[in-house]
Structures are given as structure tokens and as C-alpha cells.
Amino acid sequence: MAMEKFDYTAISDDCVKCGKCKPVCTIFNINQDEATSPRGFIDLLGAYKRDELELDKNAKDIFESCFLCTNCVEVCPNDLPTDMIIEQVRSDIAQKYGIAWYKRLFFFLLRHRKTMDFLSKLGWMFQTCALKINEKKKSALPRFSLPIVKKDRALPYADSKSFLNKYPETIFAKHKKQVKEKKNKVAIFIGCMSNYTYTKTGDSLVKILKKLELDIFIPKKQLCCGAPAYFTGAFDTVDFLVKHNIEYFESWIDDVDAIIIPEATCSAMINQDWEHYLHDQPEWKERAAKISKKVYMATKWLENNTELKDILVKSDKKMDELVTYHDPCHAKKMQGVWQEPRNLLKQNYNLQEMSDSNRCCGFGGVTMQTEKYDFAKAAGLPKAAMIKDTKAQIVSAECSACRMQITNSLHQADVDVEFKNPIELIAEALD
């Protein structure tokens, strides 16, 4: 367990003297409270580990205020994995206080794909009764307020058909290009939001892979990567999802060159957090490690393992829209992926960097988007202002969580900018 790796007493003095994390901390920038700064978290976590702090509702509130953006991890001279430790303590919180009914329902649906498919289809049929749809921006405004869903909030909505139900399991290349020592076949892990809401991301990825003359495998029994439950502390759901996916992936992973994911959070969860979660289950941890060797964010794999950039250069197609790029926390900070999407996009688009592309957009997970939505809203406004200053027509990021958050932030700030995954933009450039 991450909490057992450090002598908190020994490092607390250095931590107090340093404070490099405070200026970059998403929650500290909102409320300026030392208790909810990274070094405040570390100090309180140390007290909790030494049984000097009761996990009361005040401590619960503090530990649930972290956005898990990893900004503090990036700048920490002691390499303290504050995010990992908070993820562990949230499990203790969940065990002590339970999990809200609407989160339990959501996590149940993540376990049961057919039920989720049915409810998504039902939601699509009747959603206009409750939502005003903006198809261009792939967002909707509630027609009335509910305890969690506020009337002025831009939300994602279900598509008529999920990505996984739209395609056959295997799509063979028409003119297969043989590459020696490669299988010329890739699997797509789509992620829940791109499966049900932002389905054009998956459509675009299929289009790109067809253009590259690769066989495409769409594993139909894939379940959620487990990230929403992991960040909430619902470790029973995490255990179910992670182990189901590992066993399923093992049945076909030797037949593909890679599993590519157009989602930063899902990719980081499978690449890193599966092993973090399985730290005390060595056999499962080893199996997760073997799978992670073949898991890539889509733009990273496409840039480094295909001729896509050359194809985009040869297309000589220059798009009129000005694009700015946001770096998801789970892409740049956790996986080092930030150059690859830009390298692909700049072949056909004019890119205008915002003042701080690395700043967290403020999504923060299920709890932040529900009970602590005011924090998420406050964290999103500076990002919306940065996007507005670029005068771009499109903001892009390889992450549906960022997409949901930034789309709402732009709506709150009355900024008329459209959000598109880089995979969508690349596919449009191939037309």
C-alpha cells in the first residue's frame, strides 16, 4: 500500500519547508486552505496512519476535496505520490461511511453492460423531455433542476447507439498491408463516455485504422476500466471490473499488436492504476503488468507505430479552424503524452497554445461532479478564460472527462468554442 511506503514524520519537516506544490494545486488555488493543500493532505494522512487522526466527517470532507490532478506529484522533490495515498484512504472512507445511492447505482451499471445499454437506449428515446440538446457541441441543458443536476449546467447525453453495438467485433482491412513481424491488428478499448456519448471519437478511430489498412478488433465484452470507482474508493467495484477485464484481455491479447485507447483516464487506469490497486495481490499485479505493455493512448501509438503523419502531410489538406490543445492530467503528467497529438494535428490545423495547457480543467471524478460541483465549476472557469484568449474555434483533448468538464466551463463562461477529440480532428483531415 502506498501509505506504508513513507515515514511521514521524517518527511513532514521537509514538506512544510518546501511548499512547491501549493501554487499548482487545483483545490488550493480555489479555497486557499492549507488543510486542503498537498502538504496539508500529507500531514493529515500521516496523522491518520499513526492513529492520531479520527476519520471523522471533517477528515472525509478534506480527503474528498482533492482533484487527483497529480500537479503536486509532478513538482514534488520528494516524489511523494499524494494521489495514490488519497485513493487508498478514500477506500477507508467508503467502508466507514458507505457510498451514496446514486454512485452505487452508477457503479452497478458499470458492472452490467447490457443493463447500461438498455438504459442508454431508453434515455436516448426520452431525453428530450428533460434536456435541451445541442448536437453540435454534444451537450445538453436540463429543463429543470434536480438535487445533483442543476438547470444551468451543460451535460453530456446518450447517443442512439453505443459504439460497441455499432460495429462487428472484427473489421478486416480491405487491402491489408503486411508488415514483417507484426500482426497488423489492433484492439480498441473505447471507454464508457466514448461508448455511450461521444461515439464520434470511436467512429473516427475506426476510420483512421481503416485508412492505415489495419485489421480492427473491437472486444465486445470489455467493461469499464474502473477509474470512476477507484477515485471514489469503491474498491469492490474496482476489483470486479479490473479482474474481469484482465481475464478477458488475456484471451485475445496475443493476437493484436496493441490495445489503443482514445481516452487519457482509461489508459492511465489500465497502464498504471491497475497495478497500484493490485499492489497486495502479486499474481494479479503481474498479469496486469503484462497487459499494460500493449496498452497505449491512441495518438501515441498512431504517431510512433504507423504512417499516419506521412499520410496527413501528403493529403496537403489545410483546415480553416484554429485549434487550441488542453493537456489532460492523465495524459501529460501520468503518461508523458502531449507531443504526439500536437504532432499529428499540426500537419493540417493551425494550433494556438493557451497560456497554461497543463492546468487541470477541474473534472475531479464522480464526487467532485456531484457533491462538490461548486469546486469543479470554480476550477473550470480559468481554463475557459484561457481558451477564450486563444481565439480558437476548437479546443481539443484526448479525454472525455475533460470534454465533459470543459464543455460545461465554456458554457458557464459564455464562450462559444467547440470541443473535439484529436482523433475526430485527424479523421476529418483524412476526408
Side-chain angles (χ1 to χ4, degrees):
M1 181 184 287
M3 288 190 71
E4 293 167 357
K5 290 182 181 178
F6 303 100
D7 182 343
Y8 291 92
T9 306
I11 64 167
S12 61
D13 286 346
D14 287 339
C15 206
V16 168
K17 290 172 189 170
C18 174
K20 282 186 177 179
C21 54
K22 287 172 64 178
V24 300
C25 174
T26 305
I27 183 61
F28 184 75
N29 276 318
I30 293 169
N31 63 9
Q32 298 290 308
D33 184 351
E34 183 70 40
T36 53
S37 70
R39 67 185 187 184
F41 290 137
I42 289 286
D43 195 38
L44 291 171
L45 287 161
Y48 171 61
K49 179 177 179 280
R50 295 188 300 268
D51 294 324
E52 296 168 6
L53 175 72
E54 183 189 350
L55 206 56
D56 59 14
K57 290 197 174 178
N58 186 42
K60 173 182 182 289
D61 184 56
I62 289 169
F63 292 136
E64 287 182 341
S65 296
C66 175
F67 281 83
L68 296 174
C69 66
T70 71
N71 280 346
C72 58
V73 180
E74 188 178 41
V75 301
C76 179
N78 287 321
D79 297 322
L80 298 177
T82 310
D83 59 325
M84 286 171 56
I85 308 165
I86 288 175
E87 286 155 1
Q88 293 289 344
V89 81
R90 283 184 180 177
S91 173
D92 295 354
I93 290 169
Q95 287 175 21
K96 181 170 181 177
Y97 291 99
I99 293 173
W101 66 267
Y102 50 88
K103 294 181 192 174
R104 292 201 309 273
L105 174 61
F106 177 50
F107 298 151
F108 171 84
L109 293 174
L110 295 183
R111 293 186 185 209
H112 298 89
R113 176 75 71 194
K114 287 184 180 177
T115 308
M116 181 79 112
D117 286 349
F118 171 74
L119 290 177
S120 176
K121 187 75 174 176
L122 199 67
W124 176 79
M125 290 169 66
F126 295 104
Q127 61 194 4
T128 51
C129 300
L131 301 170
K132 289 183 257 184
I133 304 290
N134 183 329
E135 287 190 20
K136 183 183 178 186
K137 294 187 178 177
K138 202 65 188 168
S139 67
L141 293 175
R143 295 186 185 276
F144 44 80
S145 283
L146 293 171
I148 300 165
V149 181
K150 302 302 179 188
K151 193 175 179 180
D152 69 337
R153 185 172 176 182
L155 295 166
Y157 62 91
D159 247 341
S160 58
K161 199 170 190 178
S162 74
F163 171 79
L164 289 174
N165 288 329
K166 197 184 291 188
Y167 295 93
E169 190 162 69
T170 303
I171 304 170
F172 293 103
K174 285 184 179 176
H175 309 288
K176 189 168 181 178
K177 190 181 290 182
Q178 293 296 329
V179 180
K180 197 175 179 182
E181 296 177 356
K182 288 194 175 181
K183 303 176 194 308
N184 307 306
K185 184 178 184 180
V186 292
I188 295 174
F189 184 91
I190 194 60
C192 298
M193 292 185 76
S194 282
N195 185 41
Y196 290 108
T197 298
Y198 306 123
T199 57
K200 194 175 176 185
T201 301
D203 297 339
S204 301
L205 187 53
V206 168
K207 179 181 172 182
I208 292 166
L209 295 172
K210 282 182 175 180
K211 183 77 173 179
L212 292 168
E213 299 175 6
L214 293 166
D215 289 343
I216 305 164
F217 179 56
I218 302 174
K220 296 301 181 106
K221 294 178 184 175
Q222 61 181 272
L223 292 181
C224 172
C225 66
Y230 185 55
F231 303 147
T232 310
F235 280 14
D236 56 338
T237 296
V238 180
D239 203 74
F240 177 89
L241 294 171
V242 168
K243 289 177 180 175
H244 166 89
N245 280 324
I246 288 173
E247 288 178 335
Y248 179 45
F249 288 12
E250 287 173 338
S251 69
W252 48 260
I253 196 165
D254 291 338
D255 300 327
V256 300
D257 291 316
I259 303 170
I260 59 175
I261 307 177
E263 299 283 0
T265 301
C266 301
S267 176
M269 182 70 191
I270 296 173
N271 264 330
Q272 298 183 23
D273 287 327
W274 279 11
E275 290 177 62
H276 295 162
Y277 169 72
L278 296 166
H279 65 273
D280 55 356
Q281 302 179 60
E283 183 194 334
W284 282 102
K285 182 180 177 182
E286 187 179 337
R287 291 165 73 175
K290 286 180 181 176
I291 287 168
S292 73
K293 290 182 174 69
K294 278 195 173 181
V295 174
Y296 299 87
M297 279 185 67
T299 54
K300 180 175 182 176
W301 192 83
L302 292 168
E303 159 78 346
N304 296 329
N305 297 276
T306 74
E307 299 171 356
L308 179 58
K309 188 161 78 171
D310 293 337
I311 293 170
L312 292 169
V313 170
K314 288 173 186 172
S315 77
D316 201 31
K317 187 173 183 180
K318 295 298 177 188
M319 311 298 277
D320 295 332
E321 298 95 338
L322 186 64
V323 177
T324 190
Y325 199 83
H326 161 72
D327 285 301
C329 297
H330 288 101
K332 185 175 183 181
K333 289 186 275 290
M334 285 190 71
Q335 300 181 83
V337 177
W338 57 282
Q339 292 175 315
E340 293 88 347
R342 287 173 170 83
N343 288 345
L344 293 171
L345 287 172
K346 70 183 181 184
Q347 307 310 321
N348 308 92
Y349 292 88
N350 292 314
L351 287 183
Q352 177 64 48
E353 292 291 345
M354 64 182 83
S355 57
D356 187 0
S357 63
N358 199 40
R359 182 176 177 132
C360 175
C361 70
F363 179 79
V366 179
T367 299
M368 199 64 71
Q369 290 293 319
T370 52
E371 293 112 292
K372 297 188 179 295
Y373 169 63
D374 286 344
F375 283 163
K377 187 176 176 181
L381 291 176
K383 181 61 71 171
M386 290 176 198
I387 294 166
K388 182 180 181 180
D389 287 347
T390 65
K391 297 185 169 50
Q393 290 85 47
I394 296 170
V395 57
S396 187
E398 202 169 356
C399 177
S400 288
C402 295
R403 183 175 197 159
M404 175 181 163
Q405 168 71 1
I406 289 175
T407 299
N408 182 51
S409 298
L410 293 170
H411 168 72
Q412 299 297 330
D414 196 24
V415 178
D416 187 20
V417 175
E418 190 178 354
F419 192 116
K420 289 188 178 182
N421 190 297
I423 295 296
E424 292 177 71
L425 293 172
I426 291 162
E428 288 174 18
L430 288 174
D431 283 336

